[in-house]
Amino acid sequence: MDLPVITVPQADPGAAYRAQQAAIDAAIARVLNSGWYILGSEGAAFEQEFAEWLGLSRAVGCANGTDALVLALRGLGIGPGATVVTVSHTAVATVAAIEMAGATPLLLDIDPDTYTMDADELRAVLEDPPPGLPPIRAVIPVHLYGQACDLEPMLAACRAAGVAVIEDCAQAHGATLNGRMLGTLGDVAAFSLYPTKNLAALGDGGIVATGDADLADRMAAIRQYGWKRRYLSDMVGVNSRLDELQAAVLRVRLPLLAEGNTRRQAIAAAYDAALAGGPLAPPVRRPGAVHVFHQYVVRSRDREEMMARLRAQGVATAIHYPLPVHLQEAYQGRIALGPAACTETEAASREVLSLPIHPELTDAQVETVCAALRLAAG
Ligand SMILES: *Cc1c(COP(=O)(O)O)cnc(C)c1O
């Protein structure tokens, strides 16, 4: 049997490069010719431009989104002897970062409509922490797939409990909740700039942002050996820097982010229309939230069959994520779960399916996906 030809890839970082090739090539040439490749003027300018775009006073570049979470935790002084609450339905990076900082993860279940942390379960564990764990010091809400968590009640519960909030914005660059940018509501926000994220480098990259200047100074020191002055470590740090080439590429792309998000929303609307009346429900939008569609996720009881039918029409799909973190071999049996025991998480992981939604999809490719959806669901 011949394998079908994929005409609509699930992600396409090469198309994103070609769409801005001249500007990116010029930015790279500028850095190559400058002779300065680590922590120079491009990185400083990107940090300032990113902070301004977000509406916060400070941003600190780093090597990737996982390290961004680690810098946030360590900058807040959270490590061994602390529990950090997050979800199991996320990139493994969120949980890995908690353990990299030396803290203990506690994983909660999701709301099955939006796939984000169950705010009621969070309130319950803050009021009545599970026995046998160190004190809860921070919560990492993950704004999954490009849409906000139910953040307002979560923030209120965290403030009341004296617990820090680190927003995982790796999938939510430019998304808002009640008119406010995600990443500005908690104490500090961590962003990934991985090549398929809404704001993407041409390699690894990450950035943390905060309105707290002391915290920003600590995170900036920790990312480079704990230096505040060259060669003198005031604290124990790591090496997690954003290089000048990536910063220069990101400076080309930041002004184009809003346009890219608008294109993602238009593609989402086309998929909503194609799914109308069929068995697959379009993603639920949280009232008051602007979704930036890092992923467009549907649920199917018959996922394998649906993927095969789409593939037969040339449409590639992906699964985010096929196995909850607490069931993966590296974590199974040793990670604490909240009282809901992640039952909605486990159900979602068996049914979720991510359609292609990058901004470089052509209208013809979007129509191919719509036609394939009508056919596959019919
Ligand atoms: C991508 C991602 C990360 C980690 O980012 P890297 O840059 O790959 O280290 C963290 N959290 C979430 C939710 C992500 O999607």
Side-chain angles (χ1 to χ4, degrees):
M1 194 186 92
D2 286 342
L3 285 174
V5 176
I6 292 299
T7 55
V8 190
Q10 208 276 335
D12 199 351
Y17 165 61
R18 287 188 295 278
Q20 303 135 11
Q21 186 164 0
I24 289 173
D25 288 355
I28 288 173
R30 185 173 75 230
V31 174
L32 294 180
N33 286 310
S34 76
W36 193 290
Y37 305 124
I38 294 278
L39 296 189
S41 58
E42 298 286 346
F46 175 64
E47 288 173 344
Q48 194 178 339
E49 288 159 12
F50 188 88
E52 265 164 32
W53 164 78
L54 195 57
L56 288 175
S57 57
R58 295 284 298 278
V60 177
C62 61
N64 54 66
T66 311
D67 282 359
L69 289 163
V70 175
L71 289 178
L73 287 162
R74 290 194 52 185
L76 287 165
I78 293 167
T83 291
V84 177
V85 179
T86 190
V87 284
S88 192
H89 188 68
T90 181
V92 73
T94 315
V95 181
I98 294 169
E99 292 200 329
M100 284 169 72
T104 302
L106 169 62
L107 305 185
L108 303 188
D109 208 359
I110 52 169
D111 153 42
D113 287 335
T114 59
Y115 308 103
T116 56
M117 186 183 285
D118 180 338
D120 292 330
E121 191 182 10
L122 176 63
R123 194 174 325 110
V125 298
L126 290 175
E127 278 168 12
D128 186 14
L133 291 176
I136 296 172
R137 298 279 315 282
V139 175
I140 306 182
V142 182
H143 302 304
L144 201 73
Y145 303 147
Q147 177 163 246
C149 295
D150 190 11
L151 202 57
E152 286 175 357
M154 292 164 52
L155 283 172
C158 289
R159 299 261 144 82
V163 163
V165 175
I166 300 167
E167 295 179 71
D168 183 338
C169 293
Q171 303 192 3
H173 316 69
T176 63
L177 180 63
N178 298 324
R180 296 169 68 193
M181 292 282 268
L182 299 188
T184 64
L185 291 113
D187 296 289
V188 50
F191 293 80
S192 169
L193 306 166
Y194 181 80
T196 60
K197 305 288 163 125
N198 291 38
L199 178 63
L202 294 175
D204 274 315
I207 194 162
V208 280
T210 181
D212 177 337
D214 292 333
L215 174 59
D217 288 342
R218 285 195 297 279
M219 295 190 296
I222 294 166
R223 78 161 162 192
Q224 180 164 244
Y225 320 123
W227 290 354
K228 286 189 174 140
R229 295 157 297 167
R230 202 168 179 78
Y231 306 126
L232 298 173
S233 296
D234 295 337
M235 57 188 98
V236 176
V238 296
N239 174 2
S240 182
R241 298 174 295 218
L242 179 69
D243 70 64
E244 292 287 282
L245 285 169
Q246 298 304 340
V249 170
L250 290 158
R251 293 184 68 201
V252 172
R253 288 182 161 175
L254 182 59
L256 304 170
L257 173 59
E259 200 180 297
N261 284 344
T262 300
R263 174 72 180 151
R264 288 172 185 269
Q265 289 156 351
I267 298 167
Y271 294 169
D272 290 348
L275 292 171
L280 299 184
V284 173
R285 273 64 152 191
R286 183 183 302 291
V290 172
H291 196 319
V292 295
F293 291 97
H294 174 63
Q295 299 294 349
Y296 184 101
V297 174
V298 294
R299 272 180 97 134
S300 171
R301 294 246 163 81
D302 228 347
R303 179 169 66 188
E304 298 309 315
E305 176 66 20
M306 187 61 55
M307 291 179 86
R309 288 186 189 178
L310 291 170
R311 178 164 280 271
Q313 302 302 311
V315 176
T317 53
I319 298 172
H320 301 99
Y321 295 92
L323 197 59
V325 175
H326 69 277
L327 296 180
Q328 298 186 22
E329 196 168 330
Y331 298 94
Q332 189 161 31
R334 64 174 191 83
I335 300 288
L337 302 183
C342 287
T343 48
E344 293 293 353
T345 294
E346 293 182 16
S349 72
R350 291 190 288 267
E351 296 180 1
V352 289
L353 182 61
S354 307
L355 303 177
I357 195 160
H358 42 282
E360 294 74 29
L361 288 175
T362 64
D363 290 347
Q365 286 176 310
V366 173
E367 189 38 53
T368 298
V369 178
C370 289
L373 285 172
R374 287 188 290 259
L375 199 65

